[in-house]
Amino acid sequence: MPIDAAKAISAEPRSTDLTWDQKDVQLYHLGIGAGRPATDPDELRYVLESKLHVLPSFATVAGAGLAVVGGLSAPGIDVDLAAVLHGSQRIDLHRPIPVKGAATHTSSVPAVYDKGKAAVIVLRSEVADADGPLWTSDTQIFVRGEGGFGGERGPSSRLEAPGRAPDLTVERAIREDQALLYRLSGDWNPLHADPEFAKLAGFDRPILHGLCTYGIALKAVVDTALGGDVTRVRSYSARFTGVVFPGETLRIGMWREEGRVQVSVTAAERDDAPVLGDTVVEYA
């Protein structure tokens, strides 16, 4: 079997060094659409070094996305990358991410689920610096054609939208060159840049990175529901349900509850086709 679930789960966690600085943070923020309008004080907090704070979703690109790269090379995992889809992403923050950091990244595979015609690999990253834990992230990777090995099916519940209109709704326009800018943070998959490659994958043009949409949505929640305070975020989770094309508009609805915001993210021009599901920001 290309996937040996028992071997992957029982393997010793692997550790690597991780570093980032203000340029990495600024580039990531620009990649998810920050800095517009360029003179807006609220936007300058994302792009001007003298005012810089770090959006928690930066954790997904710190070290050029080591979570997925390292996890897919774990013992017991040998898969065709063409069959791999990003299923979901969760980040738990232990404290605010510093603008500049040197940390240890420890990766493991806590679970492999058997979905019948596919497998779902859970990749866990735990990042800590000299002062202690910074964040933990769980990435679920969906691998087509690798199921049927007799493992646990795993959780399959879905989060229903509240039975009322969103408390807040905002729209975020995606630039035509957004994917070209975002990929400079480390995801070089040509699906997001090369029209010919995108056609081979079944799309008429390149699509936006799912994690770019993920970052755009979190920024919208922080800027509107959390008063622009990135340090209030305690966790952020979402499931990837559809594609976004550069040039489209995201419609982001938010339902505020005590300690959390439930979020709906759709492609406005395509009859509000869902692009993120089960999306929740927990906050202090």
Side-chain angles (χ1 to χ4, degrees):
M1 286 290 297
I3 297 178
D4 185 332
K7 185 176 181 180
I9 294 169
S10 63
E12 286 292 319
R14 295 177 298 162
S15 296
T16 56
D17 292 332
L18 192 68
T19 61
W20 65 93
D21 61 22
Q22 71 176 47
K23 286 185 179 180
D24 300 311
V25 173
Q26 290 166 310
L27 183 61
Y28 171 72
H29 288 160
L30 289 169
I32 60 169
R36 293 182 292 166
T39 57
D40 185 334
D42 292 336
E43 292 299 319
L44 289 176
R45 292 178 300 179
Y46 292 102
V47 295
L48 184 61
E49 55 275 13
S50 61
K51 302 178 181 295
L52 202 58
H53 64 190
V54 184
L55 195 69
S57 53
F58 172 74
T60 61
V61 302
L66 273 178
V68 175
V69 174
L72 290 179
S73 61
I77 295 178
D78 180 15
V79 298
D80 179 2
L81 293 180
V84 167
L85 297 172
H86 198 157
S88 68
Q89 183 71 48
R90 179 183 176 92
I91 302 168
D92 289 281
L93 280 300
H94 306 302
R95 53 192 168 88
I97 300 175
V99 171
K100 181 178 181 179
T104 300
H105 168 274
T106 302
S107 62
S108 61
V109 179
V112 180
Y113 299 125
D114 185 348
K115 299 294 186 180
K117 293 183 179 180
V120 172
I121 305 169
V122 181
L123 309 177
R124 177 161 297 162
S125 295
E126 297 175 281
V127 175
D129 64 9
D131 294 323
L134 275 169
W135 71 79
T136 301
S137 67
D138 279 356
T139 303
Q140 290 201 4
I141 299 297
F142 186 90
V143 189
R144 294 169 294 185
E146 295 296 340
F149 55 85
E152 293 184 21
R153 184 166 181 83
S156 58
S157 60
R158 294 289 179 258
L159 184 64
E160 296 295 329
R164 68 180 195 277
D167 301 312
L168 294 166
T169 300
V170 298
E171 293 187 351
R172 293 293 183 264
I174 308 299
R175 291 166 40 150
E176 289 284 352
D177 61 354
Q178 200 74 62
L180 299 178
L181 183 56
Y182 181 85
R183 70 196 301 262
L184 300 181
S185 286
D187 187 338
W188 300 100
N189 189 334
L191 176 62
H192 307 295
D194 185 343
E196 295 304 317
F197 189 93
K199 289 177 182 177
L200 291 174
F203 300 102
D204 60 2
R205 54 196 169 107
I207 63 174
L208 191 66
H209 306 69
L211 283 176
C212 183
T213 302
Y214 179 83
I216 292 169
L218 179 60
K219 182 178 180 297
V221 172
V222 168
D223 290 346
T224 57
L226 302 184
D229 188 351
V230 298
T231 67
R232 296 184 66 187
V233 178
R234 291 294 175 263
S235 71
Y236 175 39
S237 57
R239 181 170 55 88
F240 300 101
T241 59
V243 300
V244 176
F245 294 95
E248 292 188 326
T249 303
L250 293 180
R251 182 171 288 130
I252 303 167
M254 306 169 220
W255 291 266
R256 290 187 290 195
E257 302 171 5
E258 185 63 33
R260 76 175 211 162
V261 180
Q262 186 171 337
V263 188
S264 167
V265 184
T266 61
E269 291 89 350
R270 285 184 283 120
D271 298 322
D272 282 317
V275 295
L276 292 182
D278 303 339
T279 306
V280 174
V281 178
E282 296 179 334
Y283 66 90

